[in-house]
Amino acid sequence: SPLIRRVIAENPGPFTYFGTGVYIIGRGEVAVIDPGPMLDKHFEALKQALASERVTHVFTTHTHLDHSPLAHPLAEWAGCKVYGLPDPAGTHAMASLEEDGQEGFAPDVLVNDGDVFSGPGWTLEAIATPGHTSNHICFALKEENALFSGDHIMGWSTTVVSPPDGDMTAYMESLDLVKARGFDILWPTHGPPVTEVTPFIEAYIAHRRAREAQVVAQLVEGRSRIKEMIPILYKDVDSRLHPAAARSVLGHMIDLVKRGRVSSPDATPGLDSDYNLINP
């Protein structure tokens, strides 16, 4: 659009699709959202794209390794600050994957829900959307009624919700929140823009509820452990994603336990816990 440009990092993969899409907002004085991974070629591409601009803000939607590592180097190069939330300590569960967090990441400026940032011709509002991670923030572009949705809503795939930091209950609430805002378009960090926003989000919600029903059906059939369910529930999914899928099912289990539909003998339900349906 007239206010939005995108530079895609060369980090394609099972979590990133064609790569991390870095957004440049505005002209002259600009903001950058999710600078992406620390790749020299990518950094040079961003510098080229920003050569005639003054970068005033560098934002992170969250601190996974495909989103935030280049934030501070880019801000240092541009002479500005990094805005976002710090990496949640002690929550890393997917080491060596793009979906793991950048340990120790801390922004220069903490962003709160409802904070507004602006430049010539652009206004961004921070919208807290916990679920994919506890520190996930989307950014709404007022001038175009658009939302930069990070990994909260992606244009090519559903989102991984991986405990302990990912929270399925919070994720579903955040989907409802975004749906209620009535955006005209979503710009995810991975995948194409979403132009039919309400039907797309409704499909996202329906997918989660359908997955929950499948998990419950597995319990009814006598499978009490997540590892027994994954080959059945995700038989048509790239096996490289099965570890992430297991964590997503764990997210559903924790949500079901919270809602009193499932029980577990473990104080902290985990991947290896036994689960039982209450009043099947």
Side-chain angles (χ1 to χ4, degrees):
S1 81
L3 285 176
I4 301 170
R5 287 165 284 166
R6 196 181 198 195
V7 178
I8 299 179
E10 292 184 352
N11 63 327
F15 292 103
T16 57
Y17 198 42
F18 291 125
T20 300
V22 183
Y23 290 103
I24 302 169
I25 317 304
R27 300 280 174 175
E29 294 184 7
V30 305
V32 176
I33 298 176
D34 280 345
M38 180 57 76
L39 299 172
D40 290 342
K41 189 175 180 181
H42 174 54
F43 197 3
E44 290 304 315
L46 277 180
K47 289 177 182 177
Q48 278 195 336
L50 295 165
S52 61
E53 313 286 3
R54 176 174 171 254
V55 182
T56 59
H57 300 73
V58 173
F59 294 102
T60 58
T61 62
H62 62 298
T63 52
H64 278 162
L65 291 173
D66 54 325
H67 290 252
S68 61
L70 197 53
H72 281 293
L74 179 64
E76 183 177 350
W77 171 80
C80 68
K81 292 182 179 180
V82 175
Y83 298 75
L85 290 176
D87 186 58
T91 60
H92 301 280
M94 300 173 68
S96 81
L97 299 178
E98 292 92 339
E99 288 293 285
D100 197 20
Q102 184 186 357
E103 290 194 62
F105 176 91
D108 300 309
V109 180
L110 294 176
V111 173
N112 297 303
D113 182 55
D115 284 353
V116 175
F117 308 90
S118 61
W122 57 266
T123 310
L124 290 172
E125 176 195 351
I127 301 175
T129 49
H132 174 62
T133 60
S134 62
N135 65 354
H136 197 286
I137 300 172
C138 295
F139 293 93
L141 179 61
K142 178 181 177 181
E143 287 76 9
E144 297 187 2
N145 194 33
L147 184 72
F148 298 96
S149 57
D151 281 1
H152 180 57
I153 300 171
M154 297 194 290
W156 74 288
S157 172
T158 54
T159 297
V160 172
V161 179
S162 174
D165 192 43
D167 185 310
M168 190 65 68
T169 308
Y171 182 72
M172 299 302 289
E173 292 171 352
S174 294
L175 284 178
D176 287 336
L177 172 68
V178 171
K179 178 185 171 184
R181 289 289 298 260
F183 292 106
D184 292 330
I185 189 167
L186 306 180
W187 294 98
T189 301
H190 307 286
V194 175
T195 56
E196 300 293 332
V197 176
T198 296
F200 195 90
I201 295 176
E202 287 176 346
Y204 244 55
I205 293 169
H207 168 81
R208 292 294 179 181
R209 292 307 179 204
R211 183 67 76 198
E212 176 186 291
Q214 291 170 351
V215 170
V216 170
Q218 291 292 303
L219 291 169
V220 170
E221 292 177 13
R223 297 180 186 91
S224 62
R225 293 197 168 195
I226 291 172
K227 64 182 179 182
E228 299 170 343
M229 303 178 184
I230 296 303
I232 299 168
L233 294 177
Y234 293 88
K235 63 179 182 296
D236 297 325
V237 173
D238 186 336
S239 61
R240 292 177 297 171
L241 294 174
H242 281 190
R247 302 207 65 83
S248 195
V249 171
L250 175 59
H252 279 291
M253 286 296 192
I254 292 171
D255 180 53
L256 287 165
V257 169
K258 285 181 185 176
R259 289 156 52 198
R261 295 194 61 196
V262 169
S263 66
S264 172
D266 298 331
T268 303
L271 286 172
D272 296 322
S273 296
D274 285 306
Y275 296 94
N276 296 286
L277 196 61
I278 298 173
N279 298 321

